Amino acid sequence: MDLQKTDVVVVGAGAVGAMALWQLSKRDGLDVVGIEQYGRVHSHGSYAGETRVFRTAVHEGGTYVKMIQRSRELWRELEAESGRDIYYEVGCLSIAPAGFPDLEVAMANVREFDIPHRVLSNEELRTEYPQHLVNDDDIALLDEHGGGLRPEVAVMSALDLAEQNGARLFFNTPVIDIEERADGVVVRTTQGAWLADTVVIASGSWSTRLRPQLHELLRLQVLGLTWFMPNDPEAFVPAKFPAFLRDAGAVHFFGAPSFDGYAFKACTNPEWPVFRDVSEVPTHHTREELIRIGQRAAELFDGVNPEPVRESVHHCAYTPDRLPVVDRTDRVVTITGLSGHGFKFSPQLGEWAAQLVQGEDNTVDPRFALAEHMQRLAELGPYTGGGH
């Protein structure tokens, strides 16, 4: 098989791959190829589903605050370069009982990093956001820089810009295997083979198929999305209804305002097991699951029909401690294990991918290195999953 030569191949053109292609295509003199097993902007990846919540008041800890701040800048750059609306800064409302651990961490972060915010009392919450049916001990944190992202628009925009900058993209082209050699990395696909100086693996839940060393580290968790129609859709438009996180007892909901004019996104996940391969992941909720989710939604939101108007099921690769893998080993850059909260950071991850390819200075947390992950895995023991 004849080898086509290039400087860098990006495997995967979803959230991280698209952002990496956008960033790499800006580098002068760099020949960039992107390879995607599905079509341009598809429904199979972790990013799909109309909206994603964007939070600057993150509850995952201070490590992520700088990532989100840089990502916020890059989201605006992507909008400016593409001319498309992607990041709707309508705020993000975190509602939980006073003292709830995740809310306490988020509040500590907004104070430490001076993030624009408001803390709403129970009375203020009920007055200003009557769409939410809250308990007497609930309070809220309004992250004023939070909001909603349009993932399909974002991925399309990044890919379009990469092509405009000279990147060559190949869709419906599965990668068969990757072979590291002394003279480069061979990427074999169903449509031919490439010899690249460097390869970026940004293939999400499929990463273990290309990097066997990830097999023990990663597990796939299911992410279910549901949309509901309220009696008064106008009350759930972006200007009146911020993106949100809700925690009530053991129930965790997250969602976004109505962008389609009739339904808003409100999601919670059933007790799905973890999986090792994409082929094992369910493709839809069961009828029983949808009934239970609808009942919970009706308890949390005012005037909501408990029957979802649409639903979809996705998946994401998780690490045991939910820190991502961002690593360069010899000629291969690997970014995976985003653990259900990676889309909002995808511009930063794409920038890091380009920096790692080029050997540039970067701000990657040393804990994200694959060797560090494997050391922690040995200490933690087998991965059993858990978490949103």
Side-chain angles (χ1 to χ4, degrees):
M1 182 181 291
D2 293 335
L3 294 176
Q4 304 173 74
K5 293 186 178 181
T6 186
D7 294 324
V8 58
V9 168
V10 177
V11 178
V16 175
M19 299 302 160
L21 287 162
W22 171 45
Q23 292 292 331
L24 285 162
S25 70
K26 297 183 180 188
R27 268 58 176 184
D28 292 336
L30 195 65
D31 187 52
V32 181
V33 169
I35 299 174
E36 167 58 49
Q37 64 177 323
Y38 294 108
R40 183 191 299 260
V41 187
H42 55 80
S43 61
H44 304 281
S46 302
Y47 68 87
E50 185 187 275
T51 53
R52 283 292 180 272
V53 175
F54 183 79
R55 296 176 286 122
T56 60
V58 292
H59 60 244
E60 289 86 354
T63 297
Y64 288 92
V65 174
K66 294 180 181 178
M67 292 171 62
I68 205 72
Q69 290 175 333
R70 178 56 180 155
S71 293
R72 182 171 178 268
E73 295 171 352
L74 291 169
W75 283 124
R76 291 304 189 203
E77 286 184 22
L78 183 60
E79 288 185 313
E81 292 182 24
S82 68
R84 292 177 175 143
D85 293 328
I86 297 167
Y87 166 31
Y88 290 76
E89 197 173 80
V90 298
C92 183
L93 199 62
S94 296
I95 302 173
F100 185 74
D102 285 354
L103 188 60
E104 289 295 304
V105 173
M107 287 186 175
N109 283 333
V110 297
R111 290 190 293 267
E112 179 180 353
F113 294 94
D114 196 24
I115 295 170
H117 71 284
R118 290 179 60 209
V119 177
L120 283 73
S121 68
N122 186 270
E123 182 178 343
E124 290 170 325
L125 177 58
R126 284 174 163 159
T127 300
E128 297 184 35
Y129 299 104
Q131 305 92 331
H132 291 275
L133 301 174
V134 299
N135 297 317
D136 290 342
D137 60 347
D138 281 338
I139 61 172
L141 172 65
L142 179 63
D143 173 2
E144 296 179 357
H145 283 174
L149 296 166
R150 305 303 301 273
E152 289 87 353
V153 180
V155 171
M156 179 68 83
S157 299
L159 295 176
D160 287 352
L161 289 168
E163 279 192 319
Q164 292 170 24
N165 293 337
R168 291 173 288 164
L169 308 183
F170 297 86
F171 298 99
N172 299 305
T173 305
V175 171
I176 299 169
D177 65 58
I178 293 173
E179 177 191 359
E180 296 181 63
R181 305 191 325 196
D183 59 341
V185 185
V186 176
V187 180
R188 295 184 181 87
T189 79
T190 56
Q191 307 297 324
W194 294 87
L195 177 63
D197 292 333
T198 313
V199 168
V200 177
I201 295 178
S203 50
S205 298
W206 290 266
S207 299
T208 54
R209 296 183 180 182
L210 300 177
R211 301 295 280 173
Q213 55 268 58
L214 296 169
H215 188 71
E216 292 305 314
L217 177 66
L218 301 181
R219 294 292 181 271
L220 304 188
Q221 292 199 34
V222 183
L223 305 175
L225 307 180
T226 43
W227 288 259
F228 294 89
M229 182 185 293
N231 294 335
D232 180 14
E234 180 62 24
F236 289 79
V237 298
K240 299 178 182 179
F241 187 70
F244 64 86
L245 303 179
R246 290 286 308 268
D247 287 282
V251 176
H252 174 75
F253 260 80
F254 62 97
S258 172
F259 286 96
D260 60 18
Y262 78 97
F264 74 103
K265 187 177 187 178
C267 317
T268 190
N269 288 309
E271 294 299 319
W272 278 306
V274 296
F275 300 96
R276 285 182 173 267
D277 190 80
V278 177
S279 62
E280 303 169 348
V281 177
T283 56
H284 293 281
H285 297 84
T286 66
R287 183 71 203 137
E288 292 72 22
E289 289 166 349
L290 290 176
I291 291 171
R292 287 196 297 272
I293 293 170
Q295 290 170 340
R296 291 171 179 170
E299 294 169 357
L300 294 177
F301 305 98
D302 185 45
V304 168
N305 178 21
E307 177 66 24
V309 292
R310 63 185 186 276
E311 62 91 21
S312 59
V313 170
H314 307 269
H315 45 78
C316 189
Y318 279 63
T319 63
D321 54 14
R322 299 184 63 186
L323 296 177
V325 177
V326 182
D327 187 74
R328 175 166 181 162
T329 306
D330 296 326
R331 294 176 179 268
V332 177
V333 173
T334 303
I335 300 181
T336 187
L338 305 187
S339 301
H341 53 204
F343 186 80
K344 56 184 167 290
F345 303 121
S346 57
Q348 169 75 96
L349 297 171
E351 183 176 62
W352 278 343
Q355 292 169 342
L356 290 169
V357 166
Q358 294 286 85
E360 300 169 359
D361 291 339
N362 60 73
T363 58
V364 180
D365 190 314
R367 294 178 301 165
F368 298 171
L370 182 57
E372 294 291 322
H373 274 284
M374 299 311 293
Q375 181 176 338
R376 291 195 299 273
L377 180 66
E379 297 168 354
L380 290 169
Y383 181 10
T384 58
H388 159 59

